[in-house]
Amino acid sequence: MGMAKWESFLGSHIEGFFNRHLSSRLEPIELSKALQRELIQRRRKDPEGHVVPNAYTLELGAEDYEQLSSQRVLDELHVAVERAVIMENCLMDGKLEIQMVKDGQGKGALRVRSRFVDKGEASTNRVEPHTIVLERSDFHRPLDLPREYEIASLTVVSGVDQDSYLAIGEKQIYLGRLGKSDFILTDGNVSRMHAYIAYERHRHVLYDAGSTNGTFVNGHSITSERLQAGDEITIGNTTLLYEVL
């Protein structure tokens, strides 16, 4: 093959290679990573280093928008951001809002914007939490039933209930021997209603519920404690591990 033909071959194939890869469709995992990067960057810009925006807009090209604009994908992104808030040990005020919009970008392009939205903020561009911005007027959103997101988990790592497991999300849960508890423990040193975990500022907060023997996190007695990934909770003779899913 002559030099001119070789250069032509390389040019056409290299150009084709980059066109194929740079114009490839986005995948949900790429949206998730982009949101997490935006959250981390905004966290670093906060003077106190821990409060992040609660509203995120993903701007996609038309083809990617049509492919990815589904409630299933949006739910996955919601959970990814909630988990990132815990892993980055930051806080978020207000409801988490994630929306997708279609713009003039090409296939594979993605831009993420974030902002703080107050509870009473009024905006003509405001949409309901967890919804997708669709650009047709005849769309009617179905009944917005509450969704349960699994964000973290509790696993008994020592005690008579070893290996017992519970995935937890945004709902308040109760731990104890009482049959109505969300996480029932048979340890005789655990109170009937020993402790509970609330979801505050998009973080799990453990509270002692006036137990007889107290509640401990990483060996320290607590009345309340914002949980971090890897924390060990001890109630009675039972130790539970808190992990992000």
Side-chain angles (χ1 to χ4, degrees):
M1 183 182 292
M3 182 60 69
K5 288 185 177 180
W6 175 248
E7 291 175 351
S8 176
F9 174 84
L10 286 177
S12 62
H13 281 70
I14 289 175
E15 182 180 0
F17 173 84
F18 280 103
N19 285 340
R20 286 194 303 273
H21 285 73
L22 293 178
S23 64
S24 60
R25 284 183 174 177
L26 291 168
E27 298 294 334
I29 187 64
E30 296 174 89
L31 304 186
S32 174
K33 289 180 178 179
L35 282 172
Q36 292 177 49
R37 284 195 297 269
E38 176 70 11
L39 182 147
I40 292 170
Q41 289 173 3
R42 292 300 299 266
R43 179 187 186 278
R44 291 172 178 170
K45 291 179 181 178
D46 177 60
E48 297 182 5
H50 65 276
V51 180
V52 294
N54 62 317
Y56 297 82
T57 300
L58 298 104
E59 300 176 0
L60 300 82
E63 288 188 50
D64 288 315
Y65 176 85
E66 296 298 333
Q67 181 75 18
L68 295 169
S69 57
S70 71
Q71 190 62 55
R72 178 187 62 81
V73 172
L74 209 57
D75 286 344
E76 291 178 3
L77 298 179
H78 178 95
V79 172
V81 172
E82 298 283 20
R83 292 171 179 170
V85 171
I86 300 172
M87 293 301 296
E88 293 299 321
N89 194 24
C90 48
L91 300 170
M92 180 186 292
D93 294 315
K95 290 184 177 180
L96 170 59
E97 300 181 11
I98 302 174
Q99 57 190 35
M100 295 184 195
V101 296
K102 180 168 55 177
D103 66 7
Q105 300 183 91
K107 185 167 62 175
L110 171 64
R111 182 163 49 231
V112 179
R113 301 184 187 277
S114 61
R115 65 192 182 107
F116 293 90
V117 175
D118 296 329
K119 290 181 180 180
E121 180 178 342
S123 171
T124 57
N125 296 322
R126 184 73 180 275
V127 296
E128 289 300 311
H130 324 319
T131 63
I132 303 165
V133 177
L134 296 179
E135 298 177 358
R136 58 178 188 270
S137 59
D138 61 344
F139 176 76
H140 295 285
R141 192 161 176 259
L143 184 62
D144 188 14
L145 297 175
R147 296 182 180 88
E148 294 186 6
Y149 301 100
E150 293 184 350
I151 300 168
S153 67
L154 295 172
T155 305
V156 177
V157 293
S158 69
V160 294
D161 299 299
Q162 187 165 354
D163 297 329
S164 292
Y165 171 91
L166 179 68
I168 61 177
E170 301 169 349
K171 178 184 175 183
Q172 184 163 303
I173 67 161
Y174 295 88
L175 300 85
R177 290 189 294 109
L178 190 66
K180 294 183 179 180
S181 297
D182 299 281
F183 202 150
I184 302 173
L185 300 168
T186 60
D187 180 352
N189 289 299
V190 170
S191 297
R192 287 168 56 80
M193 183 59 68
H194 196 108
Y196 64 94
I197 295 177
Y199 196 65
E200 301 171 0
R201 303 185 76 182
H202 298 263
R203 294 293 298 276
H204 290 119
V205 182
L206 174 68
Y207 289 88
D208 180 77
S211 65
T212 301
N213 295 316
T215 301
F216 301 80
V217 175
N218 300 325
H220 300 286
S221 177
I222 62 99
T223 54
S224 67
E225 180 81 4
R226 184 181 299 130
L227 296 172
Q228 299 184 45
D231 277 350
E232 291 191 345
I233 303 165
T234 301
I235 57 178
N237 294 325
T238 298
T239 299
L240 305 96
L241 178 64
Y242 172 80
E243 296 179 290
V244 176
L245 295 174

